[in-house]
Amino acid sequence: TLLPSPLLIMVASSRSYADFTPEKVDLHRLEEGPPLTATLTREEGLKYYRTMQTIRRMELKADQLYKQKIIRGFCHLYDGQEACAVGIEGGITLSDHLITAYRAHGYTLTRGGTVREIMAELTGRRGGIAKGKGGSMHMYTKNFYGGNGIVGAQVPLGAGVALACKYLGNDQLCVSLYGDGAANQGQIFETYNMSSLWKLPIIFICENNQYGMGTSVERSSASTEYYKRGDYIPGLRVDGMDVLCVREATKFAADHCRSGKGPILMELQTYRYHGHSMSDPGVSYRTREEIQEVRSKSDPISMLKDRMLSNNMASIEELKEIDIAVRKEIEDAAQFATTDPEPPLDDLCSHIFANDQPFEVRGATPWTKLTSTS
């Protein structure tokens, strides 16, 4: 199936900026949607390009290390969906809050984690972002409440964070992400209800990458218009492969939340190049031709690169320099992730609380005692 493209983009630009004109955006219970023009500065374009390229290369390196059995356990890769993470971050601030499911490496990076910390976490090393105790699915930074392993469970947790934002009156909001595979979870609809009743500042975002594990959206959902599934909650659907479409939609959604109107729902139509996880080759339920078609027509990095080049916002040489620097950063991080020591057993119970005095934790038997330090 062809990836639907709800936003069609026309480009006109000078050296310093580009105007992008979406002809159409799908709205639900909204009188108006995001603005029809978006300005991209050269600095923003280069920053978005570098971040998306870093996520892409990091995930490809994780694929390689997994196949070498250096990364073990669960590992869900984000390549193909880079415009979602980078666009969302472009529309909110780092003082806002974000929670997602287990496809979390990209958000760990955009939320302030380093490639080195992420790669070391994947290999279970002491220098990992969760000290080697979280692995692929459980990474955290300030105002980022992780990848979460239970399908859909992060959505009510995100509502709790949004409730705290409203209670504290700090003008912050929470972005709560889930996939099309989680969209039929009962707890998500319960969360819609409470968030709407309490007018919580939360943006529900369905990253619709077309497949829940090995099941296409058409086979799993009676309605595939996920942006309408909040019913009484306003929604919008945009092209999740276009970083600027995602950014403008997120800004619009954030303004909606901050103005006290309560929750809003966004559906980002995107695509994952890898299978659901590293244990899924990803080609038993879809064709290689389908993946290749999306890569050739809708790749988020290629689309941004082509726009910047065609509008004289960057040169091929500049972008190549970024590519080389990113590759080196990934290789250095992989080297660290394979040589850094594993955490000692004494660290097993540490970091239960963010800031607390050390205290004893009982081990597997009454005679085994460990200490928790923050």
Side-chain angles (χ1 to χ4, degrees):
T1 53
L2 284 172
L3 185 72
S5 182
L7 291 181
L8 304 174
I9 305 298
M10 303 292 290
V11 182
S13 171
S14 72
R15 172 75 183 164
S16 60
Y17 69 92
D19 288 324
F20 301 90
T21 310
E23 292 181 355
K24 180 168 85 80
V25 58
D26 296 311
L27 303 177
H28 172 64
R29 286 185 177 265
L30 287 166
E31 293 295 318
E32 57 180 345
L36 296 181
T37 57
T39 301
L40 177 72
T41 65
R42 173 179 144 80
E43 289 69 29
E44 286 170 340
L46 290 171
K47 178 186 169 191
Y48 298 162
Y49 179 82
R50 186 185 187 109
T51 307
M52 288 200 289
Q53 196 67 277
T54 303
I55 295 171
R56 175 71 54 87
R57 293 281 161 197
M58 180 172 72
E59 298 298 60
L60 293 176
K61 177 54 74 173
D63 169 89
Q64 185 186 334
L65 294 176
Y66 197 95
K67 286 169 178 167
Q68 293 170 352
K69 293 188 166 59
I70 295 169
I71 294 173
R72 300 292 188 116
F74 294 103
C75 188
H76 304 81
L77 302 182
Y78 200 68
D79 50 321
Q81 299 182 216
E82 295 89 352
C84 297
V86 175
I88 289 166
E89 295 289 13
I92 57 173
T93 71
L94 287 174
S95 63
D96 290 316
H97 307 263
L98 192 144
I99 187 166
T100 189
Y102 38 74
R103 205 176 300 280
H105 309 161
Y107 291 100
T108 309
L109 184 74
T110 61
R111 288 268 108 187
T114 65
V115 178
R116 192 176 159 110
E117 290 171 324
I118 295 166
M119 295 301 294
E121 190 58 44
L122 287 170
T123 57
R125 306 304 172 112
R126 198 165 58 189
I129 201 154
K131 312 298 182 194
K133 295 184 288 186
S136 170
M137 292 203 290
H138 307 291
M139 301 185 185
Y140 312 90
T141 66
K142 184 173 170 56
N143 296 339
F144 174 54
Y145 305 88
N148 291 266
I150 307 300
V151 174
Q154 72 280 5
V155 179
L157 293 179
V161 175
L163 177 60
C165 292
K166 180 163 185 171
Y167 182 79
L168 295 169
N170 55 20
D171 202 35
Q172 294 171 3
L173 57 85
C174 183
V175 173
S176 195
L177 292 125
Y178 57 97
D180 52 277
N184 299 315
Q185 284 272 323
Q187 59 191 323
I188 289 178
F189 293 89
E190 293 171 23
T191 307
Y192 289 164
N193 184 56
M194 294 178 79
S195 300
S196 193
L197 281 172
W198 297 343
K199 289 208 166 3
L200 299 184
I202 183 168
I203 308 174
F204 296 107
I205 299 185
C206 176
E207 289 183 290
N208 177 6
N209 63 22
Q210 316 301 316
Y211 296 94
M213 296 185 72
T215 307
S216 67
V217 291
E218 295 81 11
R219 291 180 60 220
S220 66
S221 296
S223 167
T224 59
E225 293 184 310
Y226 296 106
Y227 71 108
K228 294 181 179 178
R229 302 276 289 271
D231 188 11
Y232 39 80
I233 295 175
L236 60 159
R237 176 171 63 186
V238 298
D239 183 355
M241 302 299 267
D242 188 316
V243 68
L244 285 176
C245 293
V246 177
R247 186 188 74 180
E248 294 308 307
T250 306
K251 281 181 182 175
F252 174 84
D255 289 343
H256 175 97
C257 287
R258 291 193 219 279
S259 65
K261 293 177 184 172
I264 190 167
L265 204 160
M266 278 170 56
E267 177 187 345
L268 305 180
Q269 292 196 314
T270 184
Y271 199 83
R272 55 171 161 84
Y273 293 158
H274 270 85
H276 171 71
S277 72
M278 281 302 298
S279 59
D280 163 21
V283 289
S284 57
Y285 48 86
R286 58 181 180 176
T287 62
R288 284 190 170 84
E289 289 72 30
E290 177 185 307
I291 303 166
Q292 197 48 48
E293 183 165 22
V294 177
R295 274 183 181 277
S296 61
K297 291 182 178 176
S298 305
D299 184 77
I301 299 174
S302 299
M303 284 204 294
L304 178 63
K305 180 179 180 179
D306 292 345
R307 281 203 190 129
M308 292 185 72
L309 292 174
S310 61
N311 290 287
N312 298 317
M313 297 175 75
S315 66
I316 291 175
E317 289 71 30
E318 275 180 299
L319 298 181
K320 274 185 182 167
E321 280 175 21
I322 291 173
D323 294 348
I324 291 165
V326 166
R327 278 201 186 93
K328 184 178 187 313
E329 184 182 9
I330 302 299
E331 288 304 323
D332 290 349
Q335 178 65 26
F336 174 72
T338 51
T339 54
D340 191 49
E342 293 181 357
L345 185 63
D346 291 349
D347 278 3
L348 185 64
C349 291
S350 292
H351 311 106
I352 293 174
F353 296 104
N355 43 17
D356 218 335
Q357 293 298 315
F359 61 93
E360 281 195 339
V361 180
R362 203 186 84 181
T365 70
W367 304 280
T368 314
K369 284 198 166 53
L370 294 160
T371 303
S372 174
T373 55
S374 298

